[in-house]
Amino acid sequence: MLSGALAPPGAFASRGSRPDDRLEPICRGIHGLQGATINLESRVRVRFAPSPTGTLHIGSARTALFNFLCARHAGGDFVLRIDDTDAARSQDRHEGAILADLRWLGLDWDEGPDVGGPCAPYRQRERLDGYRAAADELLVGGLAYPCFCPQERLVELRAAALAAGRAPRYDGRCLGLAPREVERRLAGGEAAALRFRIPRGDIVVDDLIRGPVVVGADAVGDFIIVRSDGVAGYNFATVVDDRDMGITHVIRGDDHLTNTARQVLLFRALGAPVPGFAHHSMVLGTDGAKLSKRHGAAAVGDYRERGYLPQAIVNYLALLSWSHGDDEVLGMDRLVADFEIERLSLSPVMFDQAKLDWLDHEHIMALPAEVHERLFAERLPAGTPPPAAAALAAAFQSSLVAYGQAAALAAAVLQPPALPAALTAAPAAAQLTWFREQRAAAAAWLDPAAANDLIAAYRAWGKERGIGARDLLMPLRIALTGAEHGPVLPYVLAALERGDTLGRLDDVLAGSLAGVPTTTPGDTP
Ligand code: GLU
């Protein structure tokens, strides 16, 4: 119902333009809170405003990143606001997951629903009074009007416009109602939405990336700002909040351009300064369609689960978005230093999984050994002995794409191998027997250096007997891992406890060499 919007005239004083050269509270303090005093001329305030209706999409994370970088580059404020006016689709668990993903990416905010701030509250459903007051302002000023048209009529209007090849827009029927009729119907309790009366003429959005963008007057009709159930629509709630939170720049995807045209009109109607707008391009999948689940992972959480590093994702999203010269592996400090809204790419960008994989690997290689070891060990089954985890982490660092691979890579070493069908080196029994004895005499766990020494001794022993490296190492590798290829042998030895190593050698020596001729080293030519 519109009752809230019909509060006494003057319930909310008009804000007027913001003076450029003096200190002013950042927030209107709609709930009686007084904002901190800052110099508006020098302070950038940006916001990321996710709707908690699903997980954090990679494309939205990119929008959040730009806003974060903009704030940090300018020494301004990064505000996190939750757009949850759509009660049916908004869920607390989505909000929690979005916040967790943003934090994981390292995009910390200065104000938000969990940390508070001078413009609290930061959830739209807790800011409804502000929307009602602003709606009153427009109604009283004749810039908005009640609309009684039932849903069926609006659906018909829309269908007719589309059938005639026109953009759907409201035909203004309720604008022509006599004031007395409006009062009578409202007094009778008839449901009414509140529509914004748009001024005639094209709308120019001064975009910081694209320059002036003209949105034809025909593209935007008198639109609903408060629905008949009293809930403010997206465009209206956003403008009221951006105004009340002192937002200076709005950076978001170019799918919002038509919304921005509406929002520019609303800022003007409310007598509020229009923020700087920047509409960045979208992220597409390799087939040119908007990036989605069917291109593989599209949610930040998917990559988190698969063990990608947040710094690699952030790096990749930045790499996609503006030119960095020849540099590709970049940390957050560098991105903050380099960020300029105006440099963001105008054309859509294509998500390249292989490039992200490459970058993730580069960031893995740049990690301090103990951090890499911890991240690798976290992905191994509980109970994996620490020496084994450390050796495996070292073994696979040079080939790892993401930590989600760790468990499978480790299993290939830690689990007893299938019987070695591919044991090709004929004179293997003597080598393996010698090696078994040496291993039995050494410590329960070897570190990679000690394992390396053991392999060196094995090679020296073989060399004295004229056994080539391949005939030494391949049988050992196959006996221990069941495969001809894999991580460097000293790491395999360091990953296996003495009993495991001996057991695997015994298995091979006892039976699985059957069919493979075994000879003594002396027979080797
Ligand atoms: N909740 C909107 C979205 O997720 C916010 C858009 C905006 O930045 O205004 O698309």
Side-chain angles (χ1 to χ4, degrees), residues 68 72 78 102-111 332:
F68 170 88
R72 295 293 171 260
F78 179 40
L102 288 170
R103 226 173 233 126
W104 178 73
L105 288 170
L107 309 182
D108 290 325
W109 44 98
D110 306 298
E111 300 167 31
M332 193 68 102

Side-chain angles (χ1 to χ4, degrees), residues 321-337:
S321 309
W322 77 91
S323 152
H324 303 263
D326 290 337
D327 300 338
E328 296 198 292
V329 184
L330 306 163
M332 193 68 102
D333 289 350
R334 168 78 188 273
L335 300 181
V336 167

Side-chain angles (χ1 to χ4, degrees), residues 47 49-51 83 234 238 252 256:
R47 86 303 192 272
S51 303
D83 279 7
Y234 156 72
T238 291
R252 61 187 170 208
H256 278 290

Side-chain angles (χ1 to χ4, degrees), residues 134-135 137-146 175 194-197 225:
E137 216 174 307
L138 295 183
L139 189 65
V140 169
L143 298 168
Y145 59 93
L175 181 59
L194 192 64
R195 269 187 199 279
F196 180 57
R197 185 177 175 177
I225 54 175

Side-chain angles (χ1 to χ4, degrees), residues 176-343:
L177 295 178
R180 210 171 265 177
E181 184 185 348
V182 172
E183 266 167 43
R184 182 182 54 74
R185 291 172 74 168
L186 286 174
E190 199 172 328
L194 192 64
R195 269 187 199 279
F196 180 57
R197 185 177 175 177
I198 64 153
R200 301 292 146 229
D202 292 346
I203 308 150
V204 180
V205 176
D206 238 330
D207 191 280
L208 290 163
I209 307 174
R210 289 151 210 276
V213 179
V214 180
V215 178
D218 285 351
V220 179
D222 288 357
F223 57 94
I224 291 178
I225 54 175
V226 181
R227 294 193 324 234
S228 58
D229 62 2
V231 176
Y234 156 72
N235 282 303
F236 190 56
T238 291
V239 167
V240 173
D241 285 342
D242 286 345
R243 175 195 69 171
D244 291 348
M245 293 183 171
I247 297 302
T248 57
H249 297 77
V250 173
I251 308 172
R252 61 187 170 208
D254 58 15
D255 53 338
H256 278 290
L257 255 169
T258 318
N259 283 330
T260 301
R262 296 186 178 102
Q263 293 178 19
V264 165
L265 298 178
L266 285 170
F267 276 109
R268 288 193 195 132
L270 289 168
V274 180
F277 282 104
H279 295 88
H280 59 76
S281 59
M282 308 300 280
V283 185
L284 309 180
T286 36
D287 58 356
K290 203 174 152 195
L291 186 71
S292 74
K293 193 92 191 156
R294 78 195 155 77
H295 296 106
V300 170
D302 294 339
Y303 284 100
R304 189 176 176 177
E305 245 166 58
R306 286 158 57 175
Y308 283 76
L309 291 171
Q311 57 269 44
I313 294 175
V314 161
N315 186 168
Y316 180 60
L317 292 177
L319 219 54
L320 267 181
S321 309
W322 77 91
S323 152
H324 303 263
D326 290 337
D327 300 338
E328 296 198 292
V329 184
L330 306 163
M332 193 68 102
D333 289 350
R334 168 78 188 273
L335 300 181
V336 167
D338 284 1
F339 185 79
E340 280 169 39
I341 293 179
E342 294 80 2
R343 288 177 63 195

